[in-house]
Amino acid sequence: MPQIVVEGLGKQYRVAERKAGTLGALGGLFRRNYCMVDALKGVSFNIERGEVVGYIGPNGAGKSTTVKVLAGILVPDAGRCEVNGRVPWRERIEHVRRIGVVFGQRTQLWWDLPVIESFELLRDIYRVEEAAYRKTLDELVTRLNLGAILDTPVRQLSLGQRMRCDLAASLLHAPELLFLDEPTIGLDAVAKLAVRDFLRELNHAHGVTVLLTTHDMDDIEALCSRVMVIGEGRILSDGTLDGLRAQVSSERRLIVDLERENGSFEQDGVTVERREGHRVFLRFDPRKVPAAELIGRIASRHAVRDLFVENLPIEEIIRRLYERIPA
Amino acid sequence: MKAYAAILSARFRTLLQYRAAALAGLACQVFFGLVRVAIYGAFYALSSGPQPMCFAEVVTYIWLGQGLLRMIPMSVDGEVRAMIQSGSVAYELTRPLDLYGLWFTRSVAGLSAPVLLRCLPLFLFAGIFMGMQPPSSWEAALACAAATCCGLLLSAAMVTLLTITLLWTVAGDGITRLALITVWTFSGIVMPLPLFPEWLQPVLKILPFRGLMDTPFRLYLGHIPPGEALPFFLHQLAWTLALVALGRWLLSRGMRRLVVQGG
């Protein structure tokens, strides 16, 4: 049985509306209008043990709402949801004992206390055995390189340091399932890499299932064997990254460095995306023109210094997919 | 239990980080203690009729009040309010703890930590320089300590109830002001309850607020003999249980409508 089963999940939020301006504000004192916003409209998916699943979608698509339902924080209005055979919000306490959660924009550490004291507090809250705690902590300190900052109060940490500590905090009780809501938000390149490396190792070494929401497509490329795309409260796509690519566009990009700046590429199946000096960006569909054939043709007609083929950047794929979402 | 004890001790350590705030708070409480003693001094000097309390008792009552000032429920729990406003409250729900128990513990910690830090130096100062009297007997001291503990639980139940209303109001400013006025008036912190008019006494007796300050203080003074303390303890505990029950009910309703917005 899959570790996470979600079927037809629905959640509405009630949002108070009032007209702009002073009159509108006064009117709101007497009569309030509410409108119902559908955050989730029948979301369904299964996740197997040990998977690393990327969950992406534009802002307000319902990503965080899904994660909060799975974490037992919110009660949905419709649908079925089971994690490890438990309904998260009904058996919240038993459920959360076995999951770890990181909300990237918030911290679960005690602001005024040194990091290590937050960890000890969590150890007591989750009732982790001392020996197991020591072992997990040692591993996390090594892998996340926390040795130097354990005694620093959380408010004095940089964002990258804080995020590494937050990740460690979510794993002290050795959860079998980890929910990450934008774990790399605001981090610099080095910190992002550190977080990604860590998550990959975590999944390999301990088989921890990870559900990750993000806006950073590099996170997805680096970590996720599977991507789910949500928009307007519905799952739009669910599968491998390659599958997603194929679904949106099979196009690839050929980048050619020429000896001279001129040179035309008026051939079937090739469009010139842009030129930067000697460099030309071409787009082609390998189903119409196989890459080898195209390269041969171009090499025979132009003085080529260098060339390489790449997939469309994932951002581009996602942008196209988002554009299809009916607004 | 260990989890709740750990949360309690974390709050203490947090407060110890702010030494300047503790000292400033202490100075402030001493200052207002002096002002109130001066005011009652003036009243007593000009009054000719017999009063329900002698002046030395009033002075002691005032200093006890200043020492335990932070133990009365004046506001929602600051930590929880910050979490609700920022959305970090989501993390509270990912802990394998009963949410009411967690917030009650936070309230107990938030109320008791500043008092424990400040009351001893303040009592020493008031005892040596300000004419604060020692407890009327050993039994009175013990009864007062027990009643203070019950008062702490009662206070924590009130704070937790106020905190839970944040699930509806988010800001909590209005309810904080209402609570502040009510508690200041009816707990004895502004005016010792025995000095209130005769006709109001039955009401004061029923209201929960005297359990916060007045009950322990009058046990300390010997106004209530330790042998007759039992009904007073029962009054405190009954109100505590009632407020806990109300809080739990309200929280279970609030959780159903909980919305944690944003990122």
Side-chain angles (χ1 to χ4, degrees):
Chain A
M1 192 186 143
Q3 193 171 24
I4 301 179
V5 182
V6 174
E7 263 177 40
L9 211 59
K11 174 82 187 169
Q12 285 191 322
Y13 291 126
R14 196 172 69 147
V15 179
E17 273 186 335
R18 69 170 174 82
K19 297 193 178 72
T22 317
L23 273 179
L26 283 174
L29 289 176
F30 301 105
R31 217 175 108 224
R32 297 230 171 144
N33 292 320
Y34 293 98
C35 71
M36 304 304 289
V37 175
D38 282 306
L40 299 176
K41 294 186 255 193
V43 167
S44 304
F45 57 83
N46 291 338
I47 293 178
E48 297 290 338
R49 216 165 274 276
E51 276 193 284
V52 180
V53 179
Y55 194 36
I56 59 178
N59 287 322
K63 299 187 298 289
S64 293
T65 303
T66 316
V67 170
K68 281 167 193 154
V69 169
L70 289 174
I73 297 165
L74 297 183
V75 182
D77 302 317
R80 193 169 80 92
C81 170
E82 274 184 27
V83 181
N84 292 319
R86 286 196 185 85
V87 178
W89 60 93
R90 290 229 184 89
E91 298 170 78
R92 185 180 66 83
I93 291 178
E94 271 313 301
H95 167 68
V96 296
R97 225 182 267 292
R98 297 169 68 185
I99 63 165
V101 186
V102 174
F103 298 107
Q105 313 204 26
R106 292 159 187 153
T107 181
Q108 57 188 314
L109 305 165
W110 274 254
W111 199 241
D112 293 305
L113 298 180
V115 175
I116 186 71
E117 295 195 16
S118 280
F119 288 175
E120 285 165 3
L121 203 48
L122 289 168
R123 171 198 65 194
D124 293 341
I125 287 175
Y126 285 94
R127 283 189 262 148
V128 184
E129 301 272 330
E130 185 59 34
Y133 168 75
R134 285 251 68 92
K135 189 164 159 285
T136 316
L137 183 67
D138 285 346
E139 191 188 335
L140 290 169
V141 166
T142 319
R143 288 214 179 154
L144 286 163
N145 194 18
L146 303 177
I149 51 176
L150 279 180
D151 294 321
T152 314
V154 173
R155 61 188 141 99
Q156 290 172 7
L157 297 179
S158 75
L159 188 60
Q161 291 172 329
R162 203 214 77 202
M163 186 56 68
R164 282 186 279 139
C165 294
D166 257 311
L167 268 174
S170 69
L171 291 165
L172 288 169
H173 55 294
E176 46 198 276
L177 177 57
L178 187 59
F179 296 116
L180 303 169
D181 196 355
E182 305 191 22
T184 56
I185 193 163
L187 299 188
D188 66 35
V190 179
K192 276 184 183 173
L193 285 178
V195 167
R196 281 179 205 141
D197 286 344
F198 171 75
L199 290 175
R200 201 180 302 118
E201 282 175 42
L202 180 77
N203 176 254
H204 283 198
H206 298 283
V208 175
T209 314
V210 180
L211 179 67
L212 168 95
T213 81
T214 184
H215 290 294
D216 188 326
M217 295 311 147
D218 293 334
D219 287 349
I220 303 283
E221 293 232 62
L223 292 171
C224 304
S225 49
R226 177 178 161 199
V227 195
M228 298 191 295
V229 185
I230 185 173
E232 292 287 304
R234 285 196 189 88
I235 299 280
L236 302 174
S237 156
D238 183 353
T240 61
L241 202 54
D242 290 337
L244 176 65
R245 275 212 174 85
Q247 183 192 341
V248 176
S249 163
S250 58
E251 283 186 343
R252 290 208 194 132
R253 187 184 264 165
L254 176 65
I255 301 168
V256 188
D257 282 348
L258 298 173
E259 292 290 349
R260 290 183 304 279
E261 279 194 32
N262 52 1
S264 79
F265 294 86
E266 301 300 320
Q267 288 153 40
D268 286 343
V270 178
T271 42
V272 178
E273 211 173 60
R274 65 178 194 276
R275 290 169 183 262
E276 283 172 11
H278 290 276
R279 180 165 283 194
V280 187
F281 295 80
L282 302 170
R283 206 180 277 179
F284 69 100
D285 186 340
R287 285 176 306 190
K288 293 182 190 149
V289 191
E293 192 190 315
L294 181 68
I295 290 168
R297 242 193 277 165
I298 289 174
S300 68
R301 289 178 37 188
H302 300 276
V304 174
R305 200 187 290 161
D306 194 7
L307 54 74
F308 46 98
V309 180
E310 62 176 30
N311 277 321
L312 273 192
I314 181 78
E315 279 84 0
E316 178 72 22
I317 302 278
I318 299 303
R319 189 178 62 77
R320 292 194 191 180
L321 197 65
Y322 288 179
E323 277 170 4
R324 292 189 193 168
I325 302 171
Chain B
M1 265 341 272
K2 197 180 169 196
Y4 297 109
I7 288 165
L8 214 61
S9 101
R11 184 64 167 261
F12 275 97
R13 277 170 288 150
T14 303
L15 272 173
L16 286 172
Q17 299 247 332
Y18 294 104
R19 274 171 305 176
L23 283 173
L26 191 61
C28 181
Q29 276 161 247
V30 167
F31 174 77
F32 279 101
L34 291 172
V35 170
R36 292 177 57 213
V37 167
I39 292 171
Y40 283 96
F43 280 146
Y44 271 79
L46 292 173
S47 112
S48 48
Q51 296 298 334
M53 294 171 90
C54 73
F55 183 59
E57 285 177 334
V58 171
V59 169
T60 305
Y61 194 106
I62 287 174
W63 286 113
L64 283 169
Q66 292 307 110
L68 301 184
L69 182 70
R70 290 290 300 271
M71 211 187 80
I72 63 171
M74 290 192 276
S75 169
V76 300
D77 186 80
E79 281 185 1
V80 178
R81 175 169 53 196
M83 281 192 280
I84 285 179
Q85 289 177 352
S86 74
S88 307
V89 68
Y91 278 125
E92 292 278 274
L93 288 162
T94 64
R95 306 290 176 230
L97 298 173
D98 167 59
L99 190 62
Y100 186 90
L102 182 58
W103 285 3
F104 188 86
T105 308
R106 284 183 181 278
S107 303
V108 170
L111 292 166
S112 58
V115 167
L116 282 176
L117 282 179
R118 292 180 200 174
C119 74
L120 271 184
L122 194 132
F123 288 157
L124 272 178
F125 169 83
I128 295 169
F129 300 107
M130 295 292 135
M132 179 181 162
Q133 298 170 332
S136 60
S137 66
W138 275 111
E139 293 83 4
L142 279 176
C144 168
T148 307
C149 292
C150 294
L152 173 66
L153 296 180
L154 176 62
S155 183
M158 289 183 188
V159 170
T160 311
L161 190 62
L162 293 179
T163 305
I164 290 166
T165 64
L166 287 179
L167 293 175
W168 283 266
T169 63
V170 180
D173 294 330
I175 200 121
T176 292
R177 270 179 219 137
L178 272 178
L180 192 65
I181 293 292
T182 316
V183 167
W184 279 67
T185 311
F186 294 117
S187 66
I189 200 83
V190 173
M191 185 161 84
L193 295 190
L195 300 182
F196 274 74
E198 205 56 51
W199 56 268
L200 203 59
Q201 293 297 335
V203 180
L204 295 175
K205 253 192 168 136
I206 293 166
L207 287 177
F209 307 104
R210 77 178 156 109
L212 300 168
M213 298 264 128
D214 189 66
T215 302
F217 295 176
R218 284 164 70 187
L219 283 164
Y220 181 99
L221 294 172
H223 263 208
I224 305 165
E228 293 166 27
L230 189 64
F232 290 86
F233 290 141
L234 290 178
H235 171 266
Q236 287 178 311
L237 292 174
W239 269 110
T240 307
L241 289 178
L243 291 169
V244 167
L246 178 62
R248 281 193 170 280
W249 174 77
L250 205 61
L251 184 62
S252 72
R253 299 211 32 173
M255 289 312 302
R256 263 181 267 154
R257 62 185 301 285
L258 178 72
V259 171
V260 183
Q261 258 156 6

